[in-house]
Amino acid sequence: MTGETGHALRGDYRRMRPDYTVDQEWDAYTPAQHDLWRRLYGRQAALVPRYACDEFRATLETLDYGAGIPRFDAINAKLLPATRWRLVAVPGLVPDLVFFEHLANRRFPVTVWLREPEEFDYIVEPDIFHDFFGHVPMLFNPVFADYMQAYGEGGIKAHALGAIEMLSRLYWYTVEFGLIETPRGLRTYGAGILSSGGEIRYCIESGDPNRLGFDLLRVMQTRYKIDTFQETYFVIRGFDELFAATAPDFAPYYRELRTREPYAPSTVLASDRVYHRGAAPTRAA
Ligand code: PHE
Ligand code: CO
């Protein structure tokens, strides 16, 4: 298995089933790993009230998984009745189509391994802390849960149309790195941010990155970086806006996008709605 960068992936893919699932083998986690989990969880949970959207915060408060690496079975006992989603254990990143098939069937693949202590602040591949802390609380939200399933179905279609690169940008700039406008200012619902000790502050407070109003085709036309904080975040005004924008058939959008050059991650266009810290959005000059 190789990831997006072409490097060998670090998970153990030898004992998986054809759908890439494995047993979690919860008993194999060591006391030191549970301790690392507690420290990761403690740091992020303290940042959530300031930086996470209400939907994430409300669910995290009802989930009590700070004491140690959770058992997926225990989470599923709560998640299934809430939104009919279930977690399945995987060795790490899985091929696109496998990932989409899981999502389309309301199964969320969660990596079984935990990062090493030296990777407390930064990790290249998603581990169990990112997958769990970042993604699982949002799966308890009925509207977001439906969005994730629709995304999986859209992914199967995009795969057939050779359009995964474009659709992946949507996932990146929403599910992983999305910001949302709230009465209290910008907040995040993106898993890549929510599981990061540094980027969760940076995305809201730093003067460096661009914060631009969400626009579906603009997003799907924008490349992203996987090894630094993002240079641009796209801001939705509510989940309704996101779901309305993504409801139409994407096939014509893909055809249109194929005729256009992708934008660099740092590009700001005259047509972008630009958010300035603490102020209402304006058009770029
Ligand atoms: N409507 C999209 C399509 O036809 C599918 C989709 C839904 C994609 C939700 C992303 C999010 O391809
Ligand atoms: Co993720």
Side-chain angles (χ1 to χ4, degrees), residues 146-155 157-158 161 167 170-171 174 216 220 242-243 245-254:
D146 286 348
Y147 176 68
M148 291 293 280
Q149 179 184 359
Y151 180 86
E153 289 164 351
K157 198 164 95 184
L161 295 171
L167 188 66
L170 174 64
Y171 191 86
T174 61
L216 179 66
M220 290 203 288
L242 179 60
F243 306 139
T246 51
D249 178 8
F250 281 15
Y253 298 164
Y254 297 145

Side-chain angles (χ1 to χ4, degrees), residues 126 130-131 135 171 176 191:
H130 163 79
D131 284 344
H135 290 283
Y171 191 86
E176 295 291 354

Side-chain angles (χ1 to χ4, degrees), residues 110-129:
V110 175
T111 301
V112 290
W113 56 267
L114 180 68
R115 68 191 66 188
E116 295 299 322
E118 311 79 70
E119 297 167 305
F120 196 79
D121 290 321
Y122 181 75
I123 182 145
V124 186
E125 270 179 63
D127 71 338
I128 185 172
F129 183 74

Side-chain angles (χ1 to χ4, degrees), residues 55 86 123 157 172 200-201 225:
E55 289 81 357
R86 85 173 71 231
I123 182 145
K157 198 164 95 184
W172 190 265
I200 195 170
R201 300 164 208 254
K225 294 200 170 164

